[in-house]
Amino acid sequence: MPDLPELPEVLSDRAVGPGDRRYPRLRSTYTKVHSPELILMPRTASEVAAAVVFAGASEMPLSVRSGGHGLSGRSSNDGGIVIDLSELDQIEVIDRDARIVRIGPGARWATVADALAPYGWAISSGDHGNVGVGGLATAGGIGWFARSYGLTIDHIRAVDVVLADGRQVRADADNEPDLFWAMRGAGDSVGIAVAFEIEAVPLPDVGVAQLLLEADRNGDTLRRWSEHLADAPLELTTNGIMFSRGGSFLLQLTAVVADGNLKLAKPLGKLGLRLVDQHAQLAPYSALVPTGHLHPNMGQQRSISTSGLLPTLTRGSARALMDVSAHPTGPLLQLRSVGGAINAVDREATAYPHRHQQVLAILSEFPPSGGAELDAAWRAVVPYVDGAYRNFESRPTERTFRQAFPGVAGDRVSKLRDHFDPAGVLRRQT
């Protein structure tokens, strides 16, 4: 292991090592237990700059963590340095008329929703309150209002960034436009976001419906669901989980209606073999990502995941997804409706190029199953996959990078990461 350089004085009381009582609560992600050599917890952009310069000089593996779930596992490591941004968690309304909110990367979406509730505003974000702002707002941001309001990155108006050499840069449409492009979808490749300025949307109580459907083995239920959502009003977004039990299949759907019109969710009950159960209510956005979701991440949900984006499901792709769900290892298959407002954005406007797909499928395996079992279960759907959402990839490689950033987008991201981080400091992973 390389020797650590001398720690800058500004970080002397911001360092946590294996002997520190705080270390057990900071070492890991939600899905993996890690053992970094050093965790740095900066409070300001200047301290982030000092931390990344220090890490660059060390030549050790480096992870940057906003403090949330970190499902990809990249936000910690073994034997390296972690820059933990959880104390950069400010939430400030800086322009009430334009609904611009300045948010630190260490904030979590539950606290953001809670802070915006008195204004009657929301920001399209992830679907769990413990998700960190930084990890989601640099990768995309598929959440409860994906079809209604698009991705989180589609509402970002500016990003304050610390580059790998310690420079502090503001990126927006007029200043550093290439960096601004990359930070919205591939941000972890080019810099460390230390603040986002995001436009919130006015959002009164929303409709939330929970439906449990019996699904057929051939995939007709999934195909009907996909076809329905492809043409549904933009106010409707759904997330689903497939369960396989003793040869029967259940699709649990959570439907969110942005304008509160729960009638839009009623047709969903007719998509399966039968409707097993349903509940519906009006609720504030903060009820979807409540502060009760907040928890430390200590590797308590060990898993390995991958994902794929698909067009509107066909008989073939729907059947393949049912094959995945029926795999003997019992994997968890999640299905999310995308499209809508996401696809209204030009594919070249941000580093997230997936602006035509309609479904995001996420597969997870849990111990004792691992990568081999995940690959075996996922194999059926691979021929239908048309892109990937990188925050759900537990084993990032050049291949998965190109799935997330195909073609011209990938070439541009690669060029920009070499420009802004020529030494590859932010790409040092174990």
Side-chain angles (χ1 to χ4, degrees):
M1 180 184 298
D3 292 332
L4 284 169
E6 184 176 355
L7 192 68
E9 184 176 352
V10 70
L11 297 174
S12 60
D13 64 343
R14 311 308 302 157
V16 176
D20 192 295
R21 61 179 177 79
R22 296 167 292 176
Y23 183 81
R25 292 172 63 90
L26 296 170
R27 62 188 291 184
S28 301
T29 69
Y30 182 55
T31 59
K32 294 183 180 180
V33 174
H34 285 287
S35 299
E37 180 71 16
L38 184 66
I39 302 166
L40 299 174
M41 303 193 68
R43 297 159 295 187
T44 66
S46 295
E47 290 181 1
V48 173
V52 73
V53 169
F54 168 82
S58 76
E59 299 186 357
M60 295 173 68
L62 173 64
S63 299
V64 180
R65 179 171 62 212
S66 67
H69 270 174
L71 295 185
S72 71
R74 293 174 297 176
S75 56
S76 191
N77 60 58
D78 296 314
I81 297 172
V82 174
I83 299 177
D84 186 303
L85 305 175
S86 58
E87 295 198 20
L88 280 77
D89 60 354
Q90 74 275 12
I91 305 167
E92 179 187 4
V93 175
I94 60 174
D95 187 334
R96 186 159 184 167
D97 291 337
R99 300 188 303 277
I100 302 299
V101 188
R102 185 174 173 85
I103 307 174
R108 303 192 194 187
W109 288 110
T111 55
V112 174
D114 191 55
L116 298 186
Y119 299 91
W121 300 349
I123 293 173
S124 185
S125 59
D127 56 12
H128 193 279
N130 197 55
V131 172
V133 167
L136 183 131
T138 53
I142 296 173
W144 291 119
F145 303 109
R147 297 187 70 256
S148 308
Y149 299 116
L151 304 172
T152 306
I153 61 172
D154 298 337
H155 299 269
I156 294 175
R157 302 295 172 251
V159 189
D160 288 351
V161 184
V162 172
L163 300 177
D165 61 5
R167 285 181 293 156
Q168 299 180 46
V169 180
R170 179 177 173 83
D172 58 29
D174 298 317
N175 304 286
E176 297 284 355
D178 284 339
L179 180 60
F180 186 51
W181 178 88
M183 291 301 298
R184 293 172 297 156
D188 66 322
S189 296
V190 294
I192 302 175
V194 292
F196 302 90
E197 293 180 8
I198 307 179
E199 182 181 348
V201 297
L203 195 69
D205 286 355
V206 299
V208 182
Q210 299 276 356
L211 302 96
L212 186 63
L213 307 175
E214 184 178 356
D216 65 285
R217 177 64 176 84
N218 289 328
D220 289 337
T221 298
L222 292 187
R223 178 180 53 80
R224 287 192 292 266
W225 164 76
S226 177
E227 291 173 348
H228 179 78
L229 266 294
D231 294 325
L234 296 184
E235 288 77 13
L236 179 66
T237 299
T238 66
N239 284 357
I241 300 176
M242 282 296 308
F243 295 96
S244 173
R245 296 290 185 272
S248 297
F249 296 87
L250 295 173
L251 174 61
Q252 178 183 303
L253 286 177
T254 299
V256 177
V257 187
D259 66 357
N261 181 6
L262 283 166
K263 291 181 180 179
L264 296 182
K266 289 190 69 174
L268 298 173
K270 300 178 181 179
L271 300 178
L273 296 177
R274 65 185 178 97
L275 177 61
V276 179
D277 194 15
Q278 65 177 337
H279 302 279
Q281 63 178 326
L282 293 176
Y285 170 61
S286 55
L288 289 170
V289 286
T291 54
H293 282 176
L294 299 175
H295 58 73
N297 299 299
M298 304 175 70
Q300 64 266 50
Q301 186 60 78
R302 300 189 192 190
S303 62
I304 185 170
S305 301
T306 194
S307 75
L309 287 154
L310 300 95
T312 303
L313 297 182
T314 62
R315 291 188 183 276
S317 58
R319 171 72 190 213
L321 286 168
M322 293 304 299
D323 290 344
V324 169
S325 183
H327 194 268
T329 56
L332 174 67
L333 177 64
Q334 300 179 63
L335 300 168
R336 305 187 182 195
S337 55
V338 288
I342 294 176
N343 293 2
V345 176
D346 189 288
R347 65 174 300 175
E348 297 182 359
T350 69
Y352 183 92
H354 306 292
R355 302 292 183 168
H356 67 276
Q357 298 92 333
Q358 296 290 336
V359 174
L360 171 63
I362 305 149
L363 188 69
S364 300
E365 289 273 9
F366 304 90
S369 296
E373 291 80 4
L374 183 77
D375 293 339
W378 189 242
R379 190 169 296 124
V381 78
V382 167
Y384 302 97
V385 167
D386 180 24
Y389 184 52
R390 61 201 306 254
N391 271 9
F392 291 113
E393 179 53 62
S394 299
R395 300 167 296 173
T397 63
E398 183 62 25
R399 179 186 62 81
T400 64
F401 174 86
R402 283 292 173 175
Q403 287 182 324
F405 304 107
V408 173
D411 293 343
R412 187 177 179 187
V413 170
S414 296
K415 182 177 180 180
L416 290 174
R417 71 183 181 185
D418 290 342
H419 172 74
F420 288 109
D421 182 18
V425 173
L426 298 176
R427 301 194 294 280
R428 293 180 190 163
Q429 294 287 327
T430 50

